[in-house]
Amino acid sequence: HHNLRINTDDSEISSKSNPNVFGLKATNNDQIFNLPRKIHMTFPSLIVLQIFNCSLMAIYNSAFEGLSNLEVIDLRHNNIELFGNSAFNDQKELKYLFLSHNKINFVEPNSFNNLRNLRFLHLDHNKLNETNFGRFELRKLSELSHISFSHNNFKTFSTKLFNYNTKLERIELQCNQISIISRFPRNLESNLKFIDLRENKCIN
């Protein structure tokens, strides 16, 4: 957008409102440390937001405020360590959430509760384990079909996490340190097609 201004010092984005822009992409920019503010005022119709291979450090609670049309959020290959438990409160249309290749070491239990239409959730290549993820739940993500926790630091994994995700087709847990994993719920049997447990220490 030729009138667009992005100030990397205070991460503010401003321009005249343009409802005809449906995608915003920023890649390979190590000067982007925070999600730009006021995106919804400039681009109220955004469907896709990609900030890939930048230097994002955190996602705060109001980060996506007003962006209720978003269907894809792609924040792969950043330095994100944490995000607020209401960061995604407005994203009821979101279908794809990619947070891979970051430094996420804690997820609040109710962080994704409002993402009723989410299909893909990728949290691979982070620093999650059973302690900082133990109270997390996915019960309200009834449309979830693909989830990835690969390349994290899990030593045990409770499959009760998936008790309510009857549409799950693919679960990726490879390249952790899992030695014990509980039995998968029977309610997954009709749709589940693939479970990846390679490069773990499973003994049970």
Side-chain angles (χ1 to χ4, degrees):
H1 191 280
H2 65 280
N3 291 323
L4 181 64
R5 175 177 64 83
I6 298 179
N7 183 337
T8 58
D9 293 330
D10 59 10
S11 298
E12 183 172 315
I13 185 170
S14 63
S15 172
K16 292 181 179 179
S17 178
N18 191 332
N20 298 316
V21 174
F22 299 105
L24 178 62
K25 181 177 182 179
T27 62
N28 304 311
N29 188 336
D30 61 6
Q31 295 302 305
I32 298 179
F33 300 100
N34 298 294
L35 284 164
R37 291 180 287 119
K38 301 182 182 179
I39 301 178
H40 67 288
M41 296 178 66
T42 307
F43 305 123
S45 302
L46 275 187
I47 294 174
V48 178
L49 175 63
Q50 181 183 50
I51 301 181
F52 180 90
N53 197 27
C54 294
S55 296
L56 293 181
M57 295 183 291
I59 306 171
Y60 298 108
N61 279 335
S62 59
F64 307 107
E65 183 181 5
L67 295 173
S68 58
N69 295 314
L70 277 177
E71 294 183 11
V72 180
I73 295 176
D74 183 356
L75 304 177
R76 290 174 293 166
H77 292 275
N78 281 283
N79 296 317
I80 299 168
E81 294 187 12
L82 55 90
F83 47 89
N85 64 347
S86 59
F88 304 103
N89 270 7
D90 289 343
Q91 282 61 63
K92 293 181 174 63
E93 299 302 318
L94 196 69
K95 295 179 176 66
Y96 301 90
L97 179 56
F98 301 112
L99 296 169
S100 309
H101 292 273
N102 278 286
K103 299 177 181 178
I104 298 170
N105 54 33
F106 186 76
V107 177
E108 293 278 358
N110 302 317
S111 296
F112 303 140
N113 271 7
N114 288 327
L115 304 182
R116 305 296 176 87
N117 286 300
L118 194 68
R119 269 72 162 175
F120 281 58
L121 175 59
H122 284 207
L123 285 161
D124 47 286
H125 292 86
N126 278 288
K127 296 183 177 181
L128 295 169
N129 59 47
E130 60 275 7
T131 302
N132 56 30
F133 205 75
R135 293 169 53 232
F136 189 76
E137 61 179 49
L138 302 169
R139 68 172 62 217
K140 295 187 178 179
L141 305 187
S142 58
E143 299 298 317
L144 194 66
S145 66
H146 187 166
I147 192 164
S148 178
F149 294 117
S150 68
H151 296 270
N152 276 283
N153 298 317
F154 289 99
K155 293 182 179 178
T156 63
F157 196 88
S158 174
T159 58
K160 290 180 180 179
L161 182 69
F162 308 125
N163 273 347
Y164 300 91
N165 307 115
T166 57
K167 294 186 179 179
L168 260 180
E169 295 182 3
R170 186 180 182 98
I171 300 170
E172 298 187 20
L173 292 166
Q174 70 270 27
C175 300
N176 280 278
Q177 302 173 50
I178 299 171
S179 58
I180 297 177
I181 186 164
S182 58
R183 185 183 297 275
F184 281 87
R186 291 183 63 87
N187 62 338
L188 297 181
E189 290 180 359
S190 59
N191 286 298
L192 195 60
K193 296 178 177 138
F194 186 86
I195 303 171
D196 196 339
L197 286 164
R198 291 173 297 164
E199 298 188 49
N200 277 289
K201 301 177 181 179
C202 294
I203 57 174
N204 186 356

